[in-house]
Amino acid sequence: MKKWIQRSFRNRIFITMLLTALIPLLLGGALMLRLQVERIESSLAQQAELQAGVLLGTLEHVFSNCEQMTKTLSGSTVVRSALHRGDSGSRTLYQVLYRTTEPLRDYVRFDVYDTEGLCRYTTSTLVLPEALDIQWGLLPAAGRANGLVFRSGSRGGLTAARAVRGHGGELLGYLTATIDQAGFVRLFDGHYSAACEVLLLDRQWRTVYYSRPAQAGETVETLRSRLLSGQPLSGTDGAYRFYAAQHEKTGFTLLLQQPRTFNAQVMNTIYLISCFVGTLCILLSLFCTWQLSRYLSKPVHQLDQAMGEVERGRFDIRLETGRSDELGRLAGSFNRMTGEYRSNLDRSVRRQQELNETRLRMMQAQLNPHFLYNTLDTVKWLGVAHRVPQVAELATNLAAILRAAISGDEIVILDQELDLVERYVDIQSIRFADRFTCEIDVQERYRNCLVPKLALQPLVENAILHGVAGLEEGYIKLWAEEENGDLLLTVSDNGPGIPPEILERLNSPGRRIEGRHLGLFNVDSIIRLHYGQRYGLSARSKPGEGSRVRLRLPMRREEDAHAEGSGG
């Protein structure tokens, strides 16, 4: 055996590679498999415990706010007066109710009941909640208690109630806070992994909320069996692992149900596959090592290293060799190939830069606002029919906008862009007979930031033409703010809102917006070409409640650009 190993360099390479690669591979693979399984299990356990704590903290925050809000409302003179009078249409009470419950209205519905159990006021926008029994149940319990009383509903959900009393202690009504199944979904959304399930039980182990309601009974029965057998709630049971946390004040129990990643069946499958792969690795290693050892040599190794450098992006690598045989000619071909590839790459980069610049110029050309035709028509008829001074103002503002549109600067400071917006708003104010107001609220420290030319005008144009044009008292606001080192420019209006299909297109980068919203698409495309896909346009809107369009840009100032130019 020793003589066979020493017979040739190829044999020594074969044995060395086999021993140094195959044995560590098999031993290390088996060890790493076990360590990886334990690491994943530990990581999932820590993650689940953290999520359970976050969910309990979220619940505690909501309960605490409910208690504080109901306490504030029960002490309100407006609430007491309305209940004392039996009035169910007090606008002032609704204002107090909505203002006080604003932080929780996405999750919690607040209701005001009289002493007969009839709902007089509610934050619900759908239907008036049904009457509650005043002989037994939640309301009598709240009347006897000194604070907030929590009860689970017959069909899930949670309701808390507090009595409202007059200055003399007489009972005037009740305040209730209700979290239904949909409210819990919104409350817990994003606080736990999608593979996990959340279960909330009251003191009597009735289900308040379960993210998988069809299996609530089965899961509760499993947990009850664990308690009866003396096992803690937190632990492993079959294919699931449970993590329990209890809310001390209410006695509610919150459980996070996490599926086990590595159960017995999965582990058996992993071991079977590992054995198969290990056997295959032995056979492949024997074959490949023998084959590679026959052809391995120093020039080939050098060529392989050079190719690896090319794959990592180094195209200036060259092979220096004085050989005149096939390997020498191969090295020369390699040097010529990398040189030609580097030249082609440089040409491709230059062509792509030229293409991007052309696209930028074309898109900015499309930004020439089509409102100029309406403006010119307005100027003509004002001049012919009325001979009013607005003609000079329209012409002056229009000339300034035209000069900015045809200027060669692609990037301007925000102050210049705001000046164009103000001129555009003045023109449209005359056109629409001052039926709208535009407020520009931009602090001085943002006004020297650099923005693409004519980036804000299409946003304001969209707010006017598609937002407040049909209103008698339209309101548009433009403001700037900073977030994580980025500049945010926002335009909002109190118009009818953006249709859902247009809103979806506005918030989907790369999807072209045809027709009347082409200007917004061009602005979004220009910003993404200039600064990358992280930046661009986004929109939010609710039917009948106006809309908001926001531009995200990198925070670059005029002095920074000068410093970069002088440094370059």
Side-chain angles (χ1 to χ4, degrees), residues 204-260:
Q204 288 73 36
W205 271 59
R206 291 190 295 262
T207 301
V208 177
Y209 168 73
Y210 190 35
S211 55
R212 192 167 50 177
Q215 300 183 11
E218 178 182 348
T219 304
V220 172
E221 186 61 32
T222 299
L223 294 171
R224 185 178 285 109
S225 299
R226 289 180 60 86
L227 285 180
L228 293 176
S229 62
Q231 301 179 33
L233 285 179
S234 296
T236 302
D237 191 287
Y240 297 97
R241 182 182 288 107
F242 294 94
Y243 299 90
Q246 192 169 40
H247 189 259
E248 295 182 0
K249 187 171 183 179
T250 62
F252 287 3
T253 302
L254 186 142
L255 295 108
L256 186 69
Q257 177 182 333
Q258 183 188 60
R260 294 183 61 191

Side-chain angles (χ1 to χ4, degrees), residues 33 50 61 65 101 118 164 211 330 525:
L33 175 62
L50 179 62
H61 175 72
N65 280 354
T101 62
L118 297 178
V164 180
S211 55
L330 182 62
S525 298

Side-chain angles (χ1 to χ4, degrees), residues 190-205:
H191 295 307
Y192 64 97
S193 303
C196 297
E197 305 294 341
V198 175
L199 174 64
L200 182 63
L201 303 173
D202 64 8
R203 291 179 182 270
Q204 288 73 36
W205 271 59

Side-chain angles (χ1 to χ4, degrees), residues 14 17-18 21-22 25-26 276-292:
F14 172 74
M17 292 182 62
L18 188 63
L22 183 59
L25 175 65
L26 295 178
F276 175 79
V277 172
T279 303
L280 184 61
C281 286
I282 293 175
L283 298 176
L284 288 178
S285 296
L286 288 171
F287 176 77
C288 294
T289 303
W290 176 257
Q291 292 296 323
L292 287 175

